[in-house]
Amino acid sequence: MTEAAAPRNAPVRLHRDNVAVVIPALNEALRIREVVSGALAQCALVIVVDDGSDDGTAERIADLPAVLLRHPQRQGKGASLRDGFAEALRRGAAAVATMDGDGQHAAEDIARLIDSGNRHPGHIVIGARLRKRAAQPTYRRLANDFADWGVAWGTGYQVADSQSGQRLYPADVAALEQVPGEDFVFEAQILMSAAQRLGTRCVSVPIESRYNVEGEQAYRASHFKPLRDFSRITAHIVLQCLRRGRVAQVYRSIRAHPPLIDDPSGEFAAQPARKAPVAPR
């Protein structure tokens, strides 16, 4: 059945020509050309948002057939994503995939996110760094686990790798307005806003962890600062929880909804779901 002949309420099937890729970029001259070229091989529409870079990021991709939006000065990752979402929707995208400009996300995984989006219509799809987790620095792995538990208090369900920047957003989520939070807080908040306002859930697709190894610098140093940014995210979530109340009800919901893993290979889907900690009496 073609999209034109599909029932009115049937979900639109996602593919390379109706999914836009948004890449926020701040001083990514080292890998941005490789990242954009890889994304263009997966989707026809690639939007790069240059967030006030001063290292020639924009010049590195000037000859590539990508849409380039430029901030005259740094506005933060949240603003870059908002502007990228707006441009993608203006151009008719049915969903928006995101990936960072530093090369730590494999463009080939975009197709896997799109496939998962078709298996789970209406879900936010997260590229969860579950494979080769030993390559992930211990402090980052522990911090990510802590953040997952924190974000669950805003969504009402558990999320595998809530801090991953490689995601697929349905158009209605990308279109959400007045999503509070800047920089990396925005990526946590949009999961919570989608859950609270649209009833949207996340599904996680296992991808590889890609990090620098000792003696080799394949990627630039992360803009994410664990102590600073996790503190901001935690404070933001705690304040929301206090405002919303219903703490016991939310806790029961979290316990009842473990992470949803979409892994056709069965490597991760067959594992027992991670349980939320038991609340102190």
Side-chain angles (χ1 to χ4, degrees):
M1 181 178 290
T2 65
E3 287 183 14
R8 174 176 293 182
N9 295 325
V12 174
R13 183 160 186 84
L14 304 178
H15 50 77
R16 60 169 284 117
D17 293 322
N18 66 2
V19 174
V21 181
V22 170
I23 305 172
L26 170 62
N27 292 333
E28 303 290 11
L30 178 65
R31 300 293 294 273
I32 190 64
R33 187 176 182 85
E34 170 191 336
V35 170
V36 174
S37 296
L40 285 166
Q42 301 298 321
C43 291
L45 176 58
V46 175
I47 301 167
V48 180
V49 185
D50 182 355
D51 192 30
S53 299
D54 57 13
D55 69 341
T57 291
E59 289 71 19
R60 290 281 292 142
I61 59 171
D63 62 326
L64 296 179
V67 176
L68 177 64
L69 307 179
R70 303 188 72 172
H71 294 162
Q73 58 188 15
R74 183 179 180 183
Q75 297 182 29
K77 191 175 186 181
S80 295
L81 290 171
R82 289 186 186 95
D83 289 348
F85 289 170
E87 182 67 15
L89 296 176
R90 187 182 72 80
R91 291 171 178 264
V96 181
T98 60
M99 58 188 298
D100 293 341
D102 59 3
Q104 292 192 40
H105 299 142
E108 293 78 10
D109 284 328
I110 293 173
R112 298 177 61 235
L113 268 61
I114 292 175
D115 287 345
S116 182
N118 285 322
R119 287 191 293 270
H120 300 273
H123 285 61
I124 297 169
V125 184
I126 295 179
R129 295 160 292 185
L130 301 177
R131 293 196 163 98
K132 296 186 179 179
R133 288 197 79 200
Q136 190 176 26
T138 301
Y139 74 93
R140 287 293 296 271
R141 186 165 61 250
L142 295 174
N144 285 340
D145 287 345
F146 176 78
D148 288 350
W149 177 232
V151 168
W153 282 93
T155 58
Y157 61 87
Q158 297 175 56
V159 181
D161 201 0
S162 64
Q163 300 306 297
S164 174
Q166 189 167 38
R167 303 177 177 182
L168 180 76
Y169 296 97
D172 61 345
V173 175
L176 282 173
E177 297 181 351
Q178 298 180 336
V179 177
E182 300 303 328
D183 293 321
F184 295 96
V185 174
F186 176 82
E187 289 184 294
Q189 179 60 54
I190 195 168
L191 303 183
M192 298 187 290
S193 292
Q196 295 166 17
R197 290 155 60 178
L198 301 176
T200 304
R201 281 202 62 178
C202 292
V203 57
S204 295
V205 173
I207 62 172
E208 289 188 7
S209 300
R210 305 173 80 190
Y211 292 92
N212 290 321
V213 298
E214 188 174 354
E216 174 187 347
Q217 185 174 359
Y219 314 108
R220 61 120 176 98
S222 176
H223 294 310
F224 188 89
K225 305 302 179 187
L227 182 60
R228 179 198 67 188
D229 291 310
F230 277 126
S231 296
R232 290 175 178 174
I233 293 169
T234 301
H236 182 82
I237 294 171
V238 168
L239 184 58
Q240 277 205 26
C241 290
L242 292 176
R243 287 173 174 169
R244 291 175 64 203
R246 303 183 292 111
V247 173
Q249 180 181 343
V250 173
Y251 178 77
R252 287 192 294 271
S253 178
I254 294 170
R255 294 272 293 175
H257 296 92
L260 178 59
I261 309 294
D262 182 11
D263 180 27
S265 74
E267 178 184 356
F268 293 92
Q271 294 180 2
R274 181 178 56 194
K275 292 184 178 180
V278 177
R281 294 179 180 272

